Amino acid sequence: MARYIGKEMSRVDGVAKVTGRAKYAAEFRAPNLAYGFIVLGTMAKGRIREIDTREAERAPGVVRVFTHLNAPKLGPKASTEYAPPRNTREQDKSFRALQSDRIYFNMQPVALVVAETYEQARYAARLVRVSYDTERHTTDTEAVRGSARAPSQGSPPKPRGNPEAAMKAAPVRVEAEYRIPVEHHNSMEPHAAVAAWEGDKLTIFDKTQDVYGVRAHLATSFGVPEENVQVVSPYVGGAFGASLRPNYYPALTAMAARELKRPIKVVYTRTQMFTGHGYRPYTIQKIALGAEASGKLTAMIHQAVHNTSAFEEFNDNTTGFTRQVYACPNLLAPTMIVATDLPTPTWMRAPGAVSGMFALECAMDELAYALKIDPLELRLINYAETDPESGRPWSSKALRECYRLGAEKFGWKDRKFEPRSMRDGRLLVGWGTATGVWGAFQRPAIARITLRPDGTAHVTSATSDIGPGTYTVMTMIAAEYLGLEIERVKFELGDTKFPRAPAQGGSQTTSSVGSAVHGAALAVGAKLLTLANQDASSPLKGATASDVEMLDGRLRLKSDPSKSVSVAGVMRLNNLSEVTETFESRPSPERQKYATMAHGAQFVEVKVDPDIGHVRVTRAIEVTACGKIINPKASHSQEIGGVVWGIGMALQEATEIDHRYGRIMNPNLQHYHVPVNADVHEVETLFVEEDDKVVNPLGVKGMGELGMVGIPAAIANAVFHATGKRVRELPITPDKLL
Amino acid sequence: MRPFKYVRASDAAAAARAVAANPRAKFLGGGTNILDLMKEDVERPNELVDVTRLKLSEIKAASGGVSIGALAKNSDTANHPLIRRNYPLLTQAIVAGASGQLRNMATNGGNLLQRTRCQYFYDTAMPCNKREPGTGCGALEGLNRIHAIFGWSDKCVATYPGDMANALYALDAVVRVRGASGRERAIPVGEFHRLPGDTPQQDSNLAHGELITAIDLPKSNFAKNSYYLKVRDRASYAFALVSVAAALELERGRVKQARVVLGSVAHKPWRSLEAEAALVGGPASEESFRRAAEAALAGAKPLAHNGYKVELGKRAVVRALMRASRLA
Ligand SMILES: Cc1cc2nc3c(=O)[nH]c(=O)nc-3n(C[C@H](O)[C@H](O)[C@H](O)COP(=O)(O)OP(=O)(O)OC[C@H]3O[C@@H](n4cnc5c(N)ncnc54)[C@H](O)[C@@H]3O)c2cc1C
Ligand code: SF4
C-alpha cells in the first residue's frame, strides 16, 4: 500500500510561498547592485539611424547607457532543447538585444539604461532619443497568408490515403475556417535576471523553465566554459512556455554586469513582456470533414497557417494531434508558417494542441449538426481504437470512460439537440462537448539522492516548478521509495549545480524527473543491500535489489518484512556518513511499440444573455485520463487552471496589433483581458486513472497542458448550441453575439 | 517616473492656490489613476498637491438631498445608508467599477476626473491629440472598438470611461468646485465633462486649479425604479463597452419622469433627452422602451470597429429600463 503516491498532498513549498520566503528571480540581491531598464523601439522594421543617449547619461544616478553602438557582440548561440538548430551548420537565430542597428519588430529593445536605482534607470530611459530609417513592414498574418510555406525543419507530413478524392466522394461534408488571435502568456511574475560576474565566472538568478538551457546559451554567448556559469531559478511565478527558451534579457543583463564589473538586475515591465518573449501565434485554420451518413469519418483535411517572425522559424505544429484523434483512413493535415515583422512566437500552454483542437472539435460539432447526430455520439462513432497514424496499439487509452463518466456527471442525456432549445428564463442555455489530447512524453533526466543515517534525505534535480507542484510530487516520490516520512525529505531544483533535467515543458516533468527520482531511490536501496550483504550474517543474504524495499529506516524483504536490516546500522558498519546515488532515467525502448497519449473529455454549460451577448460558463466538467495520478490535489489544481485558461481563450484573450504601426496596442492587463473570479463558476475535474506500465515506471502521462486543450472548443460549441450562432473567431466577445 | 514635488495641502484654499500657481501642478486624490498615468509617462506633472487630508469626505443630508464630499472614498459613498436608500443607482454604478481595493482608495473627485482608456492615449510612442495636441488621433483610423459613437471629432474619438458619473448625471447631481480666488461654482454633472472638439486635451470644464469639494444630489423620486447596467468583456474588473443609467418615476404604470444616460459611448456621459421624451407620459412597457432605445441611438455615428455599440446600446437601454421598472 502506497504511503504517499496517489494521496492528496499540500504543496511542500506552500508556506514559503505565502509567507514570502520563497525567492523569485527579481528578489535576489547582491552587493553593489545596479539596475537596468530596457528602452523599447517605436517602429516595426528598418534601422536605427541615430541614437542619442547624452541626456540620459547626464540624468541622476545613471551608470551607463548601452546601445548597439557600445554593447559588445555576443558569441554564437548554443542550441538548447527548445532552440534546436535546423541543421548542423545553422545557429539558433532567436533574437538578441543590442547586437545591431536592425529593427525586426516594434517594441524591440534598443537600449539598456543602467543606474543606481530602478527609478533612476526608468526615468533616464525616457530620455534616450532614437531616430530610424523605416522600411515597409507586415504584421498582419491575414494579408500575407498567401505566401505561407512549410516549415523547413522536418519533412512535411505525408497525406494518409487519398484525402482529396475521399472528400469529394463523401456523402456529408462540412468546411469552415477558424481563427485564433495572438495571445500572450501573462504569467504573474515578470521575467527578471540578476547577474554577477567574478572574473570569468557568472552567477545568474533567472526566471526560467530550463536552467541548463540558459547556461548553455550564456556560456556560448560570452565564450566561457559551461561550468563557469551557474543559473539559479528556485521559484517561478508562472511561465507557461514563456521561459522555455532563453529570452533576450539574461544575456543582456549578464553583458551589462560584465562590462560594468558589478551585479545588474533587469526586470521586465508588464508591457515589455509582450515582446520580451514569444506568444501563441496568429493561426488561421481551414478544415474540411467528410463522413458517411452513419457519421463515420471518411476524410479529414485540416490546414493551418500561423505567423512566425521574419528572422526565425517557429512551428506550433497546430495540426499535429489531428492525426491521432479519430479513426479516419484519409487525411491531410499540414501546418504552414508565414513571416511577419513581429517577435518569434513560442510555445504557450498546450501549444498547437489547443489551437488545432479548437478548430477540429468545432468542426466535429458542425459535422454532428450536418448529420443530425449527437456530438458525443459522433465522437464515439469515430473512436480510434488504435493510433490512426502509426497503427500501433495505445499503451493505454481510457477516453471512452472519460466520455461516459463526463456525460453521466453532466447529465448529457438530457440535452436537446436543436440550438436555442434550452432556456433559463431570459437566458439561452447551451451544452457543448469536446475532446482533449496531449502526449505522454518522456525525456532523459538525472536525479541525485543523498540518504543520511539520521533518516533524512536530500534529493536534487535541475528541473523547475512553474506551478504544477513539482517540489511536492518529487518529494512524495522520493519519500515513497525511500520509505521515509515526507517531512524528512528535502527536494531541490532550479539550479545548474544539480543534475541535469529537461526543460519543464510539454507536460513531461513527472514522467521524466519523477522516473529519475524513483530510479535514484531504488539505486540507494540497491547500494544498501550490497553493503548489508557484505556482512555474512545479513538476513537479506541472497536477495536482489528488486526483492527489497525501504520503510521507516529499514531495508527489508518485500516477501517477508520480518527479514530486515537497519539502514543507519548498515551505514555505521561501513563507516559511511551518507549514501549518495545518481540515476539517469531514459524513456524505455518498450514505448516504441506503442502509441502513448493522454486524453480527456470536456462538457460545458454556458448561459448566454441573448440581448447583450454576455456568455457565462456556468458549469464545466472535465474528465481526463493521463495515467497514474500521483498527487490528486495538485493535479486537480492543474486541470482547474486549464479550464480557467480555456475560458479566457474562448471568451477574452487577444493581443491587438495596430498593423499600420505593427505595434501591440494592449500590452497591459487593463486592455488584455484574462478571466477574473467572477468569470469562473462551477468547475469539476475528474480523473480516470490508467494503469500503464509502458510509459514509465511510475505510470504517469502528461497532464498540465491537457487540462485546457478541449475547453475553448467545448465553449464555442456550447455557445452555438445556446444561440445557433457559430463563432469561428476567438475570442467570443459580446459584440460577436449580437 | 519623472521627478516631481509632493505637497500636502492644509486646507482647500491653499490646495487650489498651489495648483493654480503652477501650470504643471495637479491634485492628488487616491492616486489610482494619476499615478498609473505618471508611471506610463502619460501624465507629467512636476508637482502633486495631495488633497486627501482635507476635511472634504463627509456624506451628509443637505436641503432635501445629500451632499457627498469630494474626498469621500468610492466604497464609503456606495455603502453609505443615505445613498443606498435614496440613490441605489449611484451605489450600483460605483460598485460596477474597478475592484474593491481600488474603490477603497479612489475618491469621488478623482473618479469624476479619471481619464480615458484609449490605448493610444496610454502609449507615448503613438499619436494622440489628447496626450500631445497636434500629433493626430491614433484611434480615428486605428483600433477603435472601445471608442465613441456620439459627439466625437476627428481630433479625438475617445470615451469617458467612468461609471459613477453616468449615475450622477441621471440623478441631476451638481459638482461643487472652488477656485484659487476662493470663488465657488456649482456645475451640473452634465456640463462638467465636455466633448473633444478641437481641444481633446481638456476632459472637463474645470479651470486649472479649481478643486472639487463636493457633489450634491437633489432629492430624488427615482429610488424605486432605477438600474445601472454595465456591459463588458468579462464579468468584473473591466471598463464598460456600453453602460446605461436608467431612472424612472412611475405613476400607475405610466412614466412621469425619466432619465437615460449612456456611458462609454462619448467623451462625456451621454444623456438622451430624445429617449426620455419618448418615455414620459407613456406606459412602462417593453414596446415603449424599444422606441426610447431607438431614439437614444438614432444619432450614433460609429467608427470602423465599434458599430456593434449601436445595437448593443439599444438593447442595453431596453434592458436597463426593463430592470428599472422591474419588468425583467
Ligand atoms: C484597474 C482599474 C480598473 C478600473 N475600473 C474602473 C471601472 O470599471 N469603472 C470606473 O468608473 N472606474 C474604473 N477605474 C478608475 C477609478 O475609478 C479611478 O482611478 C478612480 O476613481 C480615481 O480616483 P482617485 O481618487 O484615485 O483619483 P486620482 O488618480 O488621485 O486623480 C485623478 C484625477 O483627478 C484629479 N483630482 C483628484 N481629486 C480632485 C479634486 N478634489 N479636485 C480636482 N481634481 C481632482 C487629479 O488631479 C487627477 O487628474 C479603474 C481603475 C483601475 C486602476
Ligand atoms: S481617441 Fe483621443 S485619446 Fe485616443 S488617440 Fe485619439 S486623441 Fe488620443
Side-chain angles (χ1 to χ4, degrees), chain A residues 119 126 609-611 658 660 663 670-671 674 679 735, chain B residues 1 39 41 117 120 123 138 142 145 234-235 315 319:
Chain A
E119 281 301 337
R126 307 209 194 289
D609 187 322
D611 295 333
D658 183 331
R660 297 172 303 167
R663 191 167 170 95
Q670 69 162 325
H671 291 121
V674 298
D679 293 306
D735 45 314
Chain B
M1 52 179 85
K39 289 182 202 162
D41 211 26
R117 296 282 161 173
Y120 298 86
D123 184 346
R145 178 174 174 268
R234 65 181 168 196
R315 295 177 181 200
R319 172 63 64 84

PDB file of all heavy atoms in Angstrom, chain A residues 119 126 609-611 658 660 663 670-671 674 679 735, chain B residues 1 39 41 117 120 123 138 142 145 234-235 315 319:
ATOM      1  N   GLU A 119      14.266  53.403 -10.157  1.00  0.00           N
ATOM      2  CA  GLU A 119      13.532  54.583 -10.609  1.00  0.00           C
ATOM      3  C   GLU A 119      14.415  55.515 -11.439  1.00  0.00           C
ATOM      4  O   GLU A 119      13.975  56.108 -12.415  1.00  0.00           O
ATOM      5  CB  GLU A 119      12.926  55.339  -9.416  1.00  0.00           C
ATOM      6  CG  GLU A 119      11.658  54.706  -8.872  1.00  0.00           C
ATOM      7  CD  GLU A 119      10.523  54.599  -9.911  1.00  0.00           C
ATOM      8  OE1 GLU A 119      10.523  55.360 -10.896  1.00  0.00           O
ATOM      9  OE2 GLU A 119       9.640  53.737  -9.736  1.00  0.00           O
ATOM     10  N   ARG A 126      13.541  57.271 -20.381  1.00  0.00           N
ATOM     11  CA  ARG A 126      12.656  58.128 -21.165  1.00  0.00           C
ATOM     12  C   ARG A 126      13.426  59.213 -21.921  1.00  0.00           C
ATOM     13  O   ARG A 126      12.863  59.899 -22.757  1.00  0.00           O
ATOM     14  CB  ARG A 126      11.663  58.831 -20.241  1.00  0.00           C
ATOM     15  CG  ARG A 126      10.896  57.922 -19.326  1.00  0.00           C
ATOM     16  CD  ARG A 126       9.549  58.532 -19.031  1.00  0.00           C
ATOM     17  NE  ARG A 126       8.857  57.912 -17.909  1.00  0.00           N
ATOM     18  CZ  ARG A 126       8.321  56.705 -17.926  1.00  0.00           C
ATOM     19  NH1 ARG A 126       8.427  55.962 -18.999  1.00  0.00           N
ATOM     20  NH2 ARG A 126       7.685  56.239 -16.861  1.00  0.00           N
ATOM     21  N   ASP A 609     -26.740  35.660 -22.441  1.00  0.00           N
ATOM     22  CA  ASP A 609     -27.774  36.685 -22.438  1.00  0.00           C
ATOM     23  C   ASP A 609     -27.962  37.124 -23.885  1.00  0.00           C
ATOM     24  O   ASP A 609     -27.089  37.772 -24.466  1.00  0.00           O
ATOM     25  CB  ASP A 609     -27.308  37.860 -21.567  1.00  0.00           C
ATOM     26  CG  ASP A 609     -28.398  38.882 -21.378  1.00  0.00           C
ATOM     27  OD1 ASP A 609     -29.146  39.123 -22.341  1.00  0.00           O
ATOM     28  OD2 ASP A 609     -28.494  39.433 -20.271  1.00  0.00           O
ATOM     29  N   PRO A 610     -29.085  36.772 -24.505  1.00  0.00           N
ATOM     30  CA  PRO A 610     -29.213  36.993 -25.948  1.00  0.00           C
ATOM     31  C   PRO A 610     -29.283  38.477 -26.298  1.00  0.00           C
ATOM     32  O   PRO A 610     -28.993  38.860 -27.424  1.00  0.00           O
ATOM     33  CB  PRO A 610     -30.529  36.293 -26.304  1.00  0.00           C
ATOM     34  CG  PRO A 610     -31.300  36.226 -25.030  1.00  0.00           C
ATOM     35  CD  PRO A 610     -30.298  36.186 -23.917  1.00  0.00           C
ATOM     36  N   ASP A 611     -29.649  39.309 -25.341  1.00  0.00           N
ATOM     37  CA  ASP A 611     -29.776  40.731 -25.646  1.00  0.00           C
ATOM     38  C   ASP A 611     -28.423  41.419 -25.674  1.00  0.00           C
ATOM     39  O   ASP A 611     -28.141  42.215 -26.562  1.00  0.00           O
ATOM     40  CB  ASP A 611     -30.669  41.409 -24.598  1.00  0.00           C
ATOM     41  CG  ASP A 611     -32.087  40.873 -24.673  1.00  0.00           C
ATOM     42  OD1 ASP A 611     -32.487  40.430 -25.764  1.00  0.00           O
ATOM     43  OD2 ASP A 611     -32.777  40.864 -23.637  1.00  0.00           O
ATOM     44  N   ASP A 658      -1.991  47.076 -33.996  1.00  0.00           N
ATOM     45  CA  ASP A 658      -2.336  48.094 -34.989  1.00  0.00           C
ATOM     46  C   ASP A 658      -1.365  47.888 -36.146  1.00  0.00           C
ATOM     47  O   ASP A 658      -0.177  48.218 -36.037  1.00  0.00           O
ATOM     48  CB  ASP A 658      -2.194  49.499 -34.387  1.00  0.00           C
ATOM     49  CG  ASP A 658      -2.611  50.576 -35.382  1.00  0.00           C
ATOM     50  OD1 ASP A 658      -2.477  50.341 -36.609  1.00  0.00           O
ATOM     51  OD2 ASP A 658      -3.057  51.650 -34.938  1.00  0.00           O
ATOM     52  N   ARG A 660      -0.953  49.299 -38.882  1.00  0.00           N
ATOM     53  CA  ARG A 660      -0.336  50.478 -39.502  1.00  0.00           C
ATOM     54  C   ARG A 660       1.044  50.708 -38.914  1.00  0.00           C
ATOM     55  O   ARG A 660       1.970  51.135 -39.581  1.00  0.00           O
ATOM     56  CB  ARG A 660      -1.201  51.718 -39.266  1.00  0.00           C
ATOM     57  CG  ARG A 660      -2.585  51.642 -39.902  1.00  0.00           C
ATOM     58  CD  ARG A 660      -3.423  52.813 -39.452  1.00  0.00           C
ATOM     59  NE  ARG A 660      -3.527  52.874 -37.983  1.00  0.00           N
ATOM     60  CZ  ARG A 660      -3.990  53.914 -37.316  1.00  0.00           C
ATOM     61  NH1 ARG A 660      -4.365  55.008 -37.962  1.00  0.00           N
ATOM     62  NH2 ARG A 660      -4.073  53.875 -36.001  1.00  0.00           N
ATOM     63  N   ARG A 663       2.336  47.495 -34.204  1.00  0.00           N
ATOM     64  CA  ARG A 663       2.591  47.619 -32.765  1.00  0.00           C
ATOM     65  C   ARG A 663       1.452  47.028 -31.945  1.00  0.00           C
ATOM     66  O   ARG A 663       0.283  47.210 -32.279  1.00  0.00           O
ATOM     67  CB  ARG A 663       2.749  49.104 -32.428  1.00  0.00           C
ATOM     68  CG  ARG A 663       3.279  49.373 -31.033  1.00  0.00           C
ATOM     69  CD  ARG A 663       3.681  50.842 -30.939  1.00  0.00           C
ATOM     70  NE  ARG A 663       3.986  51.236 -29.582  1.00  0.00           N
ATOM     71  CZ  ARG A 663       5.213  51.265 -29.054  1.00  0.00           C
ATOM     72  NH1 ARG A 663       6.249  50.898 -29.775  1.00  0.00           N
ATOM     73  NH2 ARG A 663       5.404  51.665 -27.817  1.00  0.00           N
ATOM     74  N   GLN A 670      -4.880  45.899 -18.211  1.00  0.00           N
ATOM     75  CA  GLN A 670      -6.173  46.589 -18.271  1.00  0.00           C
ATOM     76  C   GLN A 670      -6.818  46.339 -19.627  1.00  0.00           C
ATOM     77  O   GLN A 670      -8.038  46.238 -19.729  1.00  0.00           O
ATOM     78  CB  GLN A 670      -6.044  48.083 -17.994  1.00  0.00           C
ATOM     79  CG  GLN A 670      -5.321  48.876 -19.072  1.00  0.00           C
ATOM     80  CD  GLN A 670      -5.595  50.381 -18.965  1.00  0.00           C
ATOM     81  OE1 GLN A 670      -6.683  50.789 -18.601  1.00  0.00           O
ATOM     82  NE2 GLN A 670      -4.584  51.188 -19.262  1.00  0.00           N
ATOM     83  N   HIS A 671      -6.029  46.240 -20.676  1.00  0.00           N
ATOM     84  CA  HIS A 671      -6.611  46.050 -22.007  1.00  0.00           C
ATOM     85  C   HIS A 671      -6.575  44.600 -22.469  1.00  0.00           C
ATOM     86  O   HIS A 671      -7.373  44.201 -23.304  1.00  0.00           O
ATOM     87  CB  HIS A 671      -5.890  46.940 -23.032  1.00  0.00           C
ATOM     88  CG  HIS A 671      -6.147  48.400 -22.841  1.00  0.00           C
ATOM     89  ND1 HIS A 671      -5.141  49.310 -22.607  1.00  0.00           N
ATOM     90  CD2 HIS A 671      -7.300  49.105 -22.826  1.00  0.00           C
ATOM     91  CE1 HIS A 671      -5.672  50.525 -22.476  1.00  0.00           C
ATOM     92  NE2 HIS A 671      -6.977  50.422 -22.605  1.00  0.00           N
ATOM     93  N   VAL A 674      -7.871  38.658 -19.052  1.00  0.00           N
ATOM     94  CA  VAL A 674      -7.845  37.247 -18.652  1.00  0.00           C
ATOM     95  C   VAL A 674      -8.995  37.071 -17.663  1.00  0.00           C
ATOM     96  O   VAL A 674      -9.498  38.041 -17.130  1.00  0.00           O
ATOM     97  CB  VAL A 674      -6.498  36.860 -18.001  1.00  0.00           C
ATOM     98  CG1 VAL A 674      -5.357  37.030 -18.984  1.00  0.00           C
ATOM     99  CG2 VAL A 674      -6.245  37.689 -16.755  1.00  0.00           C
ATOM    100  N   ASP A 679     -15.719  35.319 -13.486  1.00  0.00           N
ATOM    101  CA  ASP A 679     -15.949  34.604 -14.750  1.00  0.00           C
ATOM    102  C   ASP A 679     -15.954  33.094 -14.569  1.00  0.00           C
ATOM    103  O   ASP A 679     -16.219  32.358 -15.514  1.00  0.00           O
ATOM    104  CB  ASP A 679     -14.833  34.950 -15.760  1.00  0.00           C
ATOM    105  CG  ASP A 679     -14.891  36.400 -16.184  1.00  0.00           C
ATOM    106  OD1 ASP A 679     -15.955  36.826 -16.637  1.00  0.00           O
ATOM    107  OD2 ASP A 679     -13.867  37.095 -16.058  1.00  0.00           O
ATOM    108  N   ASP A 735     -19.825  41.524 -28.652  1.00  0.00           N
ATOM    109  CA  ASP A 735     -20.169  42.117 -29.951  1.00  0.00           C
ATOM    110  C   ASP A 735     -20.378  41.064 -31.037  1.00  0.00           C
ATOM    111  O   ASP A 735     -21.084  41.293 -32.006  1.00  0.00           O
ATOM    112  CB  ASP A 735     -19.079  43.113 -30.389  1.00  0.00           C
ATOM    113  CG  ASP A 735     -17.674  42.578 -30.182  1.00  0.00           C
ATOM    114  OD1 ASP A 735     -17.395  42.028 -29.106  1.00  0.00           O
ATOM    115  OD2 ASP A 735     -16.840  42.683 -31.105  1.00  0.00           O
TER     116      ASP A 735
ATOM    117  N   MET B   1       9.228  57.054 -12.707  1.00  0.00           N
ATOM    118  CA  MET B   1       8.540  58.237 -13.223  1.00  0.00           C
ATOM    119  C   MET B   1       9.440  59.457 -13.156  1.00  0.00           C
ATOM    120  O   MET B   1      10.527  59.403 -12.600  1.00  0.00           O
ATOM    121  CB  MET B   1       7.215  58.441 -12.487  1.00  0.00           C
ATOM    122  CG  MET B   1       7.289  58.467 -10.977  1.00  0.00           C
ATOM    123  SD  MET B   1       5.670  58.739 -10.185  1.00  0.00           S
ATOM    124  CE  MET B   1       4.997  57.096 -10.101  1.00  0.00           C
ATOM    125  N   LYS B  39       3.406  56.773 -14.200  1.00  0.00           N
ATOM    126  CA  LYS B  39       4.355  55.684 -14.431  1.00  0.00           C
ATOM    127  C   LYS B  39       4.488  55.404 -15.923  1.00  0.00           C
ATOM    128  O   LYS B  39       5.556  55.028 -16.401  1.00  0.00           O
ATOM    129  CB  LYS B  39       3.900  54.418 -13.707  1.00  0.00           C
ATOM    130  CG  LYS B  39       4.041  54.499 -12.199  1.00  0.00           C
ATOM    131  CD  LYS B  39       3.625  53.181 -11.568  1.00  0.00           C
ATOM    132  CE  LYS B  39       3.231  53.378 -10.123  1.00  0.00           C
ATOM    133  NZ  LYS B  39       2.435  52.275  -9.604  1.00  0.00           N
ATOM    134  N   ASP B  41       4.273  57.593 -18.133  1.00  0.00           N
ATOM    135  CA  ASP B  41       4.778  58.824 -18.729  1.00  0.00           C
ATOM    136  C   ASP B  41       3.711  59.561 -19.540  1.00  0.00           C
ATOM    137  O   ASP B  41       4.028  60.400 -20.381  1.00  0.00           O
ATOM    138  CB  ASP B  41       5.996  58.544 -19.625  1.00  0.00           C
ATOM    139  CG  ASP B  41       6.956  59.731 -19.644  1.00  0.00           C
ATOM    140  OD1 ASP B  41       6.969  60.489 -18.659  1.00  0.00           O
ATOM    141  OD2 ASP B  41       7.670  59.912 -20.651  1.00  0.00           O
ATOM    142  N   ARG B 117      -9.551  55.531 -21.452  1.00  0.00           N
ATOM    143  CA  ARG B 117      -8.802  54.277 -21.517  1.00  0.00           C
ATOM    144  C   ARG B 117      -8.390  53.972 -22.950  1.00  0.00           C
ATOM    145  O   ARG B 117      -8.045  52.832 -23.268  1.00  0.00           O
ATOM    146  CB  ARG B 117      -9.635  53.141 -20.930  1.00  0.00           C
ATOM    147  CG  ARG B 117      -9.915  53.334 -19.442  1.00  0.00           C
ATOM    148  CD  ARG B 117      -8.717  52.980 -18.575  1.00  0.00           C
ATOM    149  NE  ARG B 117      -8.805  53.574 -17.236  1.00  0.00           N
ATOM    150  CZ  ARG B 117      -7.952  53.307 -16.261  1.00  0.00           C
ATOM    151  NH1 ARG B 117      -6.949  52.482 -16.452  1.00  0.00           N
ATOM    152  NH2 ARG B 117      -8.076  53.891 -15.091  1.00  0.00           N
ATOM    153  N   TYR B 120      -4.233  54.327 -27.356  1.00  0.00           N
ATOM    154  CA  TYR B 120      -3.232  55.225 -27.956  1.00  0.00           C
ATOM    155  C   TYR B 120      -2.840  56.318 -26.968  1.00  0.00           C
ATOM    156  O   TYR B 120      -1.715  56.792 -26.967  1.00  0.00           O
ATOM    157  CB  TYR B 120      -3.771  55.830 -29.255  1.00  0.00           C
ATOM    158  CG  TYR B 120      -4.063  54.763 -30.283  1.00  0.00           C
ATOM    159  CD1 TYR B 120      -5.285  54.095 -30.303  1.00  0.00           C
ATOM    160  CD2 TYR B 120      -3.092  54.394 -31.212  1.00  0.00           C
ATOM    161  CE1 TYR B 120      -5.549  53.102 -31.228  1.00  0.00           C
ATOM    162  CE2 TYR B 120      -3.351  53.397 -32.142  1.00  0.00           C
ATOM    163  CZ  TYR B 120      -4.578  52.751 -32.144  1.00  0.00           C
ATOM    164  OH  TYR B 120      -4.824  51.760 -33.047  1.00  0.00           O
ATOM    165  N   ASP B 123      -0.062  54.931 -24.807  1.00  0.00           N
ATOM    166  CA  ASP B 123       1.216  54.549 -25.413  1.00  0.00           C
ATOM    167  C   ASP B 123       1.901  55.799 -25.953  1.00  0.00           C
ATOM    168  O   ASP B 123       1.512  56.339 -26.986  1.00  0.00           O
ATOM    169  CB  ASP B 123       0.957  53.538 -26.532  1.00  0.00           C
ATOM    170  CG  ASP B 123       2.256  53.028 -27.147  1.00  0.00           C
ATOM    171  OD1 ASP B 123       3.325  53.634 -26.899  1.00  0.00           O
ATOM    172  OD2 ASP B 123       2.198  52.023 -27.883  1.00  0.00           O
ATOM    173  N   GLY B 138      -4.626  58.560 -32.975  1.00  0.00           N
ATOM    174  CA  GLY B 138      -4.277  57.201 -33.380  1.00  0.00           C
ATOM    175  C   GLY B 138      -5.482  56.309 -33.588  1.00  0.00           C
ATOM    176  O   GLY B 138      -5.493  55.426 -34.428  1.00  0.00           O
ATOM    177  N   GLY B 142      -7.590  53.745 -36.405  1.00  0.00           N
ATOM    178  CA  GLY B 142      -6.885  52.590 -35.855  1.00  0.00           C
ATOM    179  C   GLY B 142      -7.849  51.658 -35.156  1.00  0.00           C
ATOM    180  O   GLY B 142      -8.974  51.453 -35.626  1.00  0.00           O
ATOM    181  N   ARG B 145     -12.508  49.808 -31.250  1.00  0.00           N
ATOM    182  CA  ARG B 145     -13.640  49.020 -30.766  1.00  0.00           C
ATOM    183  C   ARG B 145     -14.254  49.605 -29.496  1.00  0.00           C
ATOM    184  O   ARG B 145     -15.455  49.452 -29.266  1.00  0.00           O
ATOM    185  CB  ARG B 145     -13.155  47.587 -30.501  1.00  0.00           C
ATOM    186  CG  ARG B 145     -14.196  46.648 -29.940  1.00  0.00           C
ATOM    187  CD  ARG B 145     -13.638  45.220 -29.847  1.00  0.00           C
ATOM    188  NE  ARG B 145     -14.583  44.338 -29.181  1.00  0.00           N
ATOM    189  CZ  ARG B 145     -14.577  44.093 -27.875  1.00  0.00           C
ATOM    190  NH1 ARG B 145     -13.665  44.647 -27.088  1.00  0.00           N
ATOM    191  NH2 ARG B 145     -15.480  43.290 -27.348  1.00  0.00           N
ATOM    192  N   ARG B 234     -15.761  41.062 -19.685  1.00  0.00           N
ATOM    193  CA  ARG B 234     -15.743  39.993 -18.686  1.00  0.00           C
ATOM    194  C   ARG B 234     -16.638  40.413 -17.529  1.00  0.00           C
ATOM    195  O   ARG B 234     -17.086  41.555 -17.467  1.00  0.00           O
ATOM    196  CB  ARG B 234     -14.327  39.645 -18.239  1.00  0.00           C
ATOM    197  CG  ARG B 234     -13.614  40.739 -17.516  1.00  0.00           C
ATOM    198  CD  ARG B 234     -12.186  40.332 -17.122  1.00  0.00           C
ATOM    199  NE  ARG B 234     -11.453  41.511 -16.687  1.00  0.00           N
ATOM    200  CZ  ARG B 234     -10.137  41.577 -16.572  1.00  0.00           C
ATOM    201  NH1 ARG B 234      -9.393  40.533 -16.856  1.00  0.00           N
ATOM    202  NH2 ARG B 234      -9.546  42.679 -16.174  1.00  0.00           N
ATOM    203  N   ALA B 235     -16.839  39.485 -16.608  1.00  0.00           N
ATOM    204  CA  ALA B 235     -17.896  39.699 -15.624  1.00  0.00           C
ATOM    205  C   ALA B 235     -17.582  40.812 -14.629  1.00  0.00           C
ATOM    206  O   ALA B 235     -18.481  41.368 -14.011  1.00  0.00           O
ATOM    207  CB  ALA B 235     -18.180  38.399 -14.880  1.00  0.00           C
ATOM    208  N   ARG B 315     -30.090  47.686 -27.078  1.00  0.00           N
ATOM    209  CA  ARG B 315     -30.518  46.563 -26.234  1.00  0.00           C
ATOM    210  C   ARG B 315     -30.254  46.845 -24.762  1.00  0.00           C
ATOM    211  O   ARG B 315     -31.018  46.431 -23.900  1.00  0.00           O
ATOM    212  CB  ARG B 315     -29.782  45.302 -26.658  1.00  0.00           C
ATOM    213  CG  ARG B 315     -30.159  44.884 -28.082  1.00  0.00           C
ATOM    214  CD  ARG B 315     -29.346  43.693 -28.461  1.00  0.00           C
ATOM    215  NE  ARG B 315     -29.631  43.238 -29.809  1.00  0.00           N
ATOM    216  CZ  ARG B 315     -29.337  42.018 -30.229  1.00  0.00           C
ATOM    217  NH1 ARG B 315     -28.751  41.158 -29.411  1.00  0.00           N
ATOM    218  NH2 ARG B 315     -29.601  41.651 -31.460  1.00  0.00           N
ATOM    219  N   ARG B 319     -32.933  46.869 -21.779  1.00  0.00           N
ATOM    220  CA  ARG B 319     -32.734  46.015 -20.611  1.00  0.00           C
ATOM    221  C   ARG B 319     -32.695  46.832 -19.315  1.00  0.00           C
ATOM    222  O   ARG B 319     -33.320  46.459 -18.312  1.00  0.00           O
ATOM    223  CB  ARG B 319     -31.435  45.222 -20.774  1.00  0.00           C
ATOM    224  CG  ARG B 319     -31.018  44.423 -19.535  1.00  0.00           C
ATOM    225  CD  ARG B 319     -32.009  43.345 -19.150  1.00  0.00           C
ATOM    226  NE  ARG B 319     -32.099  42.329 -20.177  1.00  0.00           N
ATOM    227  CZ  ARG B 319     -31.263  41.301 -20.283  1.00  0.00           C
ATOM    228  NH1 ARG B 319     -30.289  41.164 -19.409  1.00  0.00           N
ATOM    229  NH2 ARG B 319     -31.409  40.437 -21.247  1.00  0.00           N
TER     230      ARG B 319
END
